[in-house]
Amino acid sequence: MTVRDPGLTELKFRDPGRARALAGTLARVVGDIGRDRVSVMHVCGSHEQAIARFGLRAALPRTLDVIMGPGCPVCITDVPEVDEGVALARQGVRVATYGDMLKVPGTSMSLADAQAEGARVEVVYSVAQAVDAARRSDEPLVFFATGFETTAVATAAAVLQDPPPNFFVLSAHKYIPPVMEIVAEMPETRVEGFLAAGHAATITGWGVFEPLVARHRLPVVVAGFEPLDILAGLVKLAELIRDGRPSVENMFPRCVTKEGNLRAQERLWRVFRPIGGRWRGIAHVPNGNLRLRDEWAHLDARRQFDIDLHRLCDHAPPALVEACLCGDIMAGIKAPTDCGLFGRQCVPGAPVGACMVSSEGTCRIWYQYGGHPELGGYGAVCAR
Amino acid sequence: MCLGVPGKVIDVQGSVATVDFWGVRRQVRLDVVDEPVEPGDYILNHVGYAIRRIPTGEIEATLALYEELLARADADLMAADIRGEIQGVGDDRA
């Protein structure tokens, strides 16, 4: 059912000796905790890619569960937000967005479906391209802006670069720190600590996690994306759990400082304000959505267009959606393999849920690499 | 979107840099990077914007993951994401 690259076991690693040492330390520290199960969560699609890609779970102690939380920016874009983009496109407005967004299901259709019906939906790699495209024409162009802090700062910079008057922004940007609090507060949660994403923290700085740690007494470790970075981050997190010492530790100092990128933050908050809103499948997240401030109302697609969502509700959503576990998977309560659709009715070519659409979605990643690969590749190196 | 891609700065004109990503040259905006960027520096690019100047001495460690992945077949999900970033950065096709 799950397709795996047969070449995975041939992977080479920069420093197998260090990997073995880290895996050994991790086993010892998790052993010291002395419980049947210790669960930690990361909140980044790139972390999951690296963990699955390099077979890291095979090198982890059996009692340590590393769960992917709501870390896929495409997946957590809520259905009504996709609907807004689809409705605009079907109303004849040019819509530009990141390629990952095309197949994400809305209530009755995705942007790709709208495109197939003749709506003008264009893929861009950068908001800067959308601005350029608007400049070359007099027609209105709406940039459907998705993603976390790292892409939100790019949108903010574009807004501040004096875009042409026919350029508009439909912001579905999300801000990571508040959703970590929501996950920490979920009654079903087993999460005892977070591995925070290095590049989002490059923007926010690691200091942003201090209130979360103080409120929930859960440790947070900022980690990079190299397999060794992730292993080192997990060792530090396990030590903090073992010692009952909730604090923030920065294990990615080559990219992350306590204050973060102040210039980027200044631009981000000059353009956006945080408001509460739903994340697909998760919950209402206070301060989790980024919307344009009133000062930028003239380029806010929500305020400049009459977005008619009612017409989309004429079609009933496909029945399979009812069985989709995306929400529980993103909340870290279920794994893709708990879903009856995974790899059967739900595959990358015909995704039922958003988690199978994006290359950063948990289901898409597990579909390619498997979530618990056999001892091979990295695992073999570490277990030797 | 989260991983971004590092590249070497070739030229800087105002707030736009020409950056080399494994032989592919693209324009990257410097609006949000918080340190001065000069030719020869390495930056971390996210969707056409530099978000970080990579400190000298950290460059090798930063590039290692990418080089390992880029050596792999096209079918690889993570490598495809990185190639997409490399090919797409600052491209003016829309």
Side-chain angles (χ1 to χ4, degrees), chain A residues 227-251:
Chain A
L228 292 174
D229 289 336
I230 294 174
L231 271 181
L234 289 172
V235 168
K236 177 58 74 178
L237 194 53
E239 284 173 354
L240 296 173
I241 293 170
R242 178 194 64 188
D243 301 342
R245 200 157 54 85
S247 64
V248 190
E249 297 284 341
N250 179 18
M251 297 295 282

Side-chain angles (χ1 to χ4, degrees), chain B residues 72-93:
Chain B
R72 305 296 304 172
D74 277 300
D76 187 78
L77 193 67
M78 209 171 174
D81 267 12
I82 294 168
R83 283 197 192 90
E85 280 266 15
I86 292 174
Q87 297 299 332
V89 173
D91 194 325
D92 61 2
R93 283 176 301 127

Side-chain angles (χ1 to χ4, degrees), chain A residues 7 11-12 14 44 46 49-50 53-54 98 125-127 129 133 136 150-151 153-154 157-158 161 199 202 225-226 254-255 261 263-264 267 359-360 364-365 368-369, chain B residues 1-4 29-34 44 46-49 51-52 55 58 61-62 64-66 68-69 72 75-78 81 84 88-94:
Chain A
L11 280 174
K12 290 190 187 68
R14 238 168 12 105
C44 176
S46 300
Q49 283 184 339
R53 171 75 175 73
F54 292 96
Y98 295 117
Y125 289 100
S126 169
V127 58
Q129 290 178 1
R136 288 195 298 267
T150 46
T151 50
V153 294
Q161 275 157 27
H199 289 162
T202 299
F225 301 96
E226 232 248 333
R254 68 177 183 260
C255 270
N261 180 335
R263 191 166 183 229
R267 280 158 173 72
S359 59
E360 292 174 70
R364 179 81 176 80
I365 295 168
Q368 176 162 4
Y369 300 125
Chain B
M1 275 192 226
C2 282
L3 196 54
R29 296 210 54 103
L30 302 174
D31 306 63
V32 295
V33 68
D34 57 351
L44 184 66
H46 271 255
V47 295
Y49 288 77
I51 62 163
R52 169 88 176 151
E58 304 290 356
T62 306
L65 170 67
Y66 295 87
E68 165 64 23
L69 289 166
R72 305 296 304 172
D76 187 78
L77 193 67
M78 209 171 174
D81 267 12
V89 173
D91 194 325
D92 61 2
R93 283 176 301 127

Side-chain angles (χ1 to χ4, degrees), chain A residues 106-276:
Chain A
T107 299
S108 65
M109 64 169 69
S110 64
L111 284 165
D113 296 331
Q115 190 183 41
E117 281 191 354
R120 283 190 301 164
V121 179
E122 297 162 33
V123 170
V124 290
Y125 289 100
S126 169
V127 58
Q129 290 178 1
V131 172
D132 289 344
R135 243 185 217 115
R136 288 195 298 267
S137 146
D138 295 327
E139 280 180 284
L141 183 145
V142 171
F143 178 61
F144 183 27
T146 60
F148 297 128
E149 291 85 307
T150 46
T151 50
V153 294
T155 305
V159 164
L160 294 169
Q161 275 157 27
D162 197 19
N166 59 331
F167 175 80
F168 301 91
V169 173
L170 177 64
S171 172
H173 282 304
K174 302 276 189 278
Y175 187 55
I176 286 261
V179 82
M180 292 164 69
E181 304 235 10
I182 291 296
V183 170
E185 287 164 12
M186 283 182 172
E188 316 92 317
T189 194
R190 295 174 285 130
V191 174
E192 297 179 52
F194 286 101
L195 206 62
H199 289 162
T202 299
I203 306 288
T204 59
W206 60 260
V208 78
F209 301 115
E210 284 185 328
L212 163 84
V213 168
R215 264 197 289 274
H216 300 285
R217 308 206 45 82
L218 290 176
V220 175
V221 172
V222 178
F225 301 96
E226 232 248 333
L228 292 174
D229 289 336
I230 294 174
L231 271 181
L234 289 172
V235 168
K236 177 58 74 178
L237 194 53
E239 284 173 354
L240 296 173
I241 293 170
R242 178 194 64 188
D243 301 342
R245 200 157 54 85
S247 64
V248 190
E249 297 284 341
N250 179 18
M251 297 295 282
F252 197 38
R254 68 177 183 260
C255 270
V256 179
T257 60
K258 181 171 186 184
E259 300 75 25
N261 180 335
L262 294 173
R263 191 166 183 229
Q265 287 170 37
E266 186 273 326
R267 280 158 173 72
L268 181 69
W269 299 122
R270 191 153 29 120
V271 169
F272 292 107
R273 69 192 167 94
I275 66 162

